[in-house]
């Protein structure tokens, strides 16, 4: 039987191809909603930068024309990240890149960053901290306060809780059995992850960034992330469809080929049985 | 002694039996030769390769924008009777669903009667096969509706569409260009759309 199966596998099999279509909209220009122009910010304090862009677009925030942070616009066409700036004037720029590679540049927002009245003693020369994993060199304005690493510092109490899912990008389908989910919040928060209404993970410590491996079932997976900080609660959703992995297979049409070597194997088995008897 | 003699007799008889069986095999057909049906010994292997993925990026316009990409499918077989290459989608309907809503339907054209693509549809074609015509088809991005005709990919429960059938050996990969075309206008939501197809190569 095994020999027959091997024979079949050598005769027929199939293979698959995935056809991906990225439908892109070049007309959606990203817009920074906060902070607004001429806002005065405090040096060294994380500041929420949020706005609108085409869902799924990769949004790059720049500081004085230097790329600073990259986020993905969510299904509601929103993006949000944090920046920590040094004293001086800063122009925050925004560009978005869609799935087809089209780059659209939005209007910049110029803000004035002032040194806090009573800065802590500092010898740190770092000027800013990236909000995501795509840091870039920052402006040369000398810092007056230590940098505050994202996820370990305490943002201003006035910051509103916002949640951004940075990975994965919304995709129609995946063949993976799980997906690594990453995101950031504008203030320390705990996150609860659920898939199709069933809780699959929860953070134990309030932080401003999170990452979870989320199992996926074949079919539609509605992933919901709920961030909670005190009385504030924000929920974002992400839809992923997992399709079954296509593997090589054999069809059975009745042709079996048994090689000459198989006869030797059969004879050896017969000999061994006869000797034992 | 008698027991030893009995065992030796059994072994001798077994050896004779094996020699007889082996002799019958050798006399009946030479080792490494022979034929089962139309498939000669050791010539029925077949292999199939493809690009694995095809990308169709489109930036739609109100008047419809189209992109065309190719998948090169290669089949190798030592069978003197050749092979038949076919394919189907992996779901019942070849409709693409977007990550942010929206659908792109399969073209109304069929393999027997392919048709030009229309807005918000997609399909395949193989130059020189069946009713598709000779082409040649060329890859393009964000162009006008192609003049070539396309057909819908059969659903997983439908009869597979034959892409190629040859009646001779293909010792080195015999390639077939399968073209995929997609046209959309601005009524289709932006996002990622996908579909999966499965090729099957069968020795004739």
């Amino acid at each position: 039987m095994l020999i027959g199966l091997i024979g079949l596998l050598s005769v027929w099999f199939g293979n698959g191809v995935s056809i991906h279509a990225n439908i892109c909209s070049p007309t959606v220009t990203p817009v920074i909603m906060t902070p607004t122009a001429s806002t005065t910010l405090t040096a060294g304090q994380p500041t929420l930068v949020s706005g609108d862009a085409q869902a799924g677009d990769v949004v790059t925030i720049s500081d004085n024309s230097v790329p600073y942070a990259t986020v993905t616009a969510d299904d509601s066409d929103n993006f949000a990240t944090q920046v920590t700036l040094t004293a001086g004037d800063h122009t925050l720029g925004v560009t978005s890149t869609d799935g087809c590679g089209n780059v659209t540049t939005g209007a910049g927002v110029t803000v004035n960053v002032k040194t806090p009245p009573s800065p802590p003693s500092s010898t740190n020369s770092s000027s800013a901290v990236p909000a995501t994993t795509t840091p870039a060199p920052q402006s040369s304005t000398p810092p007056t306060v230590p940098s505050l690493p994202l996820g370990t510092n305490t943002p201003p109490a006035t910051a509103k809780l916002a949640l951004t899912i940075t990975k994965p990008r919304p995709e129609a389908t995946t063949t993976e059995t799980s997906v690594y989910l990453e995101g950031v919040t504008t203030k320390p928060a705990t996150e609860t992850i659920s898939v199709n209404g069933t809780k699959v993970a929860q953070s134990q410590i309030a932080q401003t960034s999170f990452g979870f491996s989320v199992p996926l079932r074949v079919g539609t997976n509605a992933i919901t992330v709920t961030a909670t900080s005190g009385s504030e609660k924000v929920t974002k959703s992400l839809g992923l469809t997992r399709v079954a992995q296509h593997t090589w297979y054999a069809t059975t049409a009745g042709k079996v080929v048994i090689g000459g070597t198989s006869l030797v194997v059969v004879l050896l088995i017969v000999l061994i049985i006869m000797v034992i008897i | 002694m008698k027991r030893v003699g009995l065992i030796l007799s059994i072994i001798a008889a077994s050896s004779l039996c094996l020699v007889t069986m082996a002799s019958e095999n050798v006399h009946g057909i030479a080792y490494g030769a022979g034929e089962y049906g139309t498939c000669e010994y050791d010539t029925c292997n077949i292999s199939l390769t493809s690009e694995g993925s095809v990308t169709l990026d489109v930036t739609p316009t109100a008047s419809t924008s189209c992109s065309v990409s190719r998948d090169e499918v290669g089949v190798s077989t030592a069978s003197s009777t050749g092979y038949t290459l076919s394919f189907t989608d992996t779901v019942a309907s070849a409709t693409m669903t977007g990550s942010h809503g929206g659908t792109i339907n399969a073209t109304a054209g069929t393999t027997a009667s392919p048709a030009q693509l229309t807005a918000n549809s997609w399909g395949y074609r193989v130059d020189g096969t069946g009713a598709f015509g000779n082409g040649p088809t060329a890859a393009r991005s964000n162009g006008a509706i192609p003049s070539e005709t396309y057909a819908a990919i059969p659903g997983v429960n439908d009869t597979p569409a034959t892409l190629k059938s040859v009646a001779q050996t293909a010792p080195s990969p015999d390639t077939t260009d399968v073209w995929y075309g997609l046209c959309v206008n601005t009524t289709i939501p932006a996002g990622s759309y996908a579909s999966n197809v499965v090729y099957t190569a069968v020795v004739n």
Side-chain angles (χ1 to χ4, degrees):
Chain A
M1 189 66 182
L2 176 62
I3 298 168
L5 178 60
I6 293 170
L8 284 173
L9 286 173
S10 69
V11 179
W12 295 277
F13 56 85
N15 198 6
V17 62
S18 295
I19 299 150
H20 294 278
N22 292 310
I23 308 302
C24 305
S25 177
T27 58
V28 178
T29 301
V31 177
I32 295 176
M33 306 297 286
T34 58
T36 56
S38 303
T39 297
T40 299
L41 305 175
T42 302
Q45 297 282 8
T47 298
L48 173 68
V49 177
S50 63
D52 296 338
Q54 176 71 42
D57 283 6
V58 177
V59 179
T60 299
I61 303 297
S62 62
D63 174 22
N64 291 334
S65 300
V66 178
Y68 185 91
T70 302
V71 295
T72 301
D74 62 20
D75 285 350
S76 300
D77 299 333
N78 299 319
F79 68 85
T81 187
Q82 286 181 308
V83 298
T84 304
L85 305 174
T86 57
D89 288 336
H90 293 261
T91 297
L92 299 175
V94 58
T95 61
S96 64
T97 305
D98 63 23
C100 299
N102 298 316
V103 179
T104 307
T105 301
V109 173
T110 300
V111 295
N112 180 255
V113 182
K114 293 186 178 299
T115 303
S118 303
S121 60
S122 170
T123 56
N124 195 329
S125 61
S126 176
S127 60
V129 176
T132 68
T133 56
T134 55
Q138 295 303 296
S139 59
S140 58
T141 306
T144 55
V145 294
S147 62
L148 301 172
L150 187 63
T152 59
N153 62 343
T154 302
T158 55
K160 183 181 177 182
L161 178 62
L163 166 65
T164 301
I165 300 172
T166 56
K167 289 183 180 179
R169 281 196 61 186
E171 295 288 349
T173 59
T174 179
T175 57
E176 300 297 326
T177 57
S178 65
V179 63
Y180 197 73
L181 185 76
E182 292 182 4
V184 294
T185 54
T186 52
K187 62 171 62 175
T190 56
E191 290 79 27
T192 300
I193 316 299
S194 63
V195 178
N196 295 335
T198 301
K199 187 169 77 173
V200 296
Q202 183 173 14
S203 60
Q204 302 298 318
I205 302 172
Q207 292 186 322
T208 54
S209 62
F210 61 88
F212 298 95
S213 179
V214 179
L216 299 176
R217 291 183 173 181
V218 173
T220 302
N221 293 268
I223 302 172
T224 302
V225 181
T226 301
T228 304
S229 177
S231 60
E232 291 184 273
K233 184 178 288 187
V234 177
T235 298
K236 289 287 177 67
S237 296
L238 174 72
L240 280 174
T241 299
R242 179 188 156 199
V243 295
Q245 182 79 46
H246 299 293
T247 56
W248 301 91
Y249 65 91
T251 56
T252 53
K255 293 183 179 178
V256 180
V257 177
I258 301 178
T261 54
S262 60
L263 180 60
V264 175
V265 174
V266 173
L267 292 176
L268 283 174
I269 293 172
V270 171
L271 177 61
I272 290 170
I273 292 173
M274 295 181 77
V275 168
I276 292 172
I277 293 172
Chain B
M1 268 314 266
K2 282 185 177 179
R3 183 176 176 84
V4 173
L6 178 60
I7 293 174
L8 288 173
S9 299
I10 292 173
I11 293 174
S14 302
S15 301
L16 182 61
C17 178
L18 288 175
V19 168
T20 302
M21 292 171 69
S23 297
E24 285 178 356
N25 184 50
V26 169
H27 286 300
I29 192 167
Y31 175 80
E35 182 177 293
Y36 186 93
T38 59
C39 187
E40 292 185 357
Y41 173 82
D42 202 28
T43 64
C44 289
N45 292 346
I46 189 167
S47 63
L48 185 156
T49 60
S50 82
E51 304 287 341
S53 68
V54 173
T55 301
L56 293 163
D57 290 346
V58 184
T59 301
T61 60
S63 59
T64 302
S65 186
C66 304
S67 291
V68 176
S69 289
R70 179 190 64 154
D71 185 24
E72 185 179 87
V73 183
V75 177
S76 298
T77 180
S79 171
S80 60
T81 54
Y83 70 92
T84 297
L85 173 66
S86 60
F87 79 154
T88 66
D89 206 294
T90 58
V91 293
S93 170
T95 299
M96 288 184 176
T97 302
S99 56
H100 305 296
T103 56
I104 301 174
N105 295 320
T107 177
T110 63
T111 304
S113 180
Q116 270 192 288
L117 292 174
T118 57
N120 308 327
S121 69
W122 75 289
Y124 84 98
R125 68 171 277 112
V126 179
D127 290 349
T129 296
F132 285 114
N134 289 329
T137 305
R140 73 202 73 171
S141 290
N142 302 315
I145 293 177
S147 58
E148 301 91 16
T149 55
Y150 287 78
I153 297 167
V156 67
N157 299 320
D158 300 327
T159 302
T162 298
L163 300 173
K164 193 175 203 177
S165 184
V166 297
Q168 60 191 27
T169 181
S172 58
D174 182 31
T175 60
T176 301
D177 288 339
V178 183
W179 295 93
Y180 295 94
L182 181 145
C183 292
V184 291
N185 61 24
T186 49
T187 63
I188 293 294
S192 177
Y193 295 72
S195 185
N196 296 291
V197 302
V198 170
Y199 298 109
T200 301
V202 181
V203 170
N204 291 330

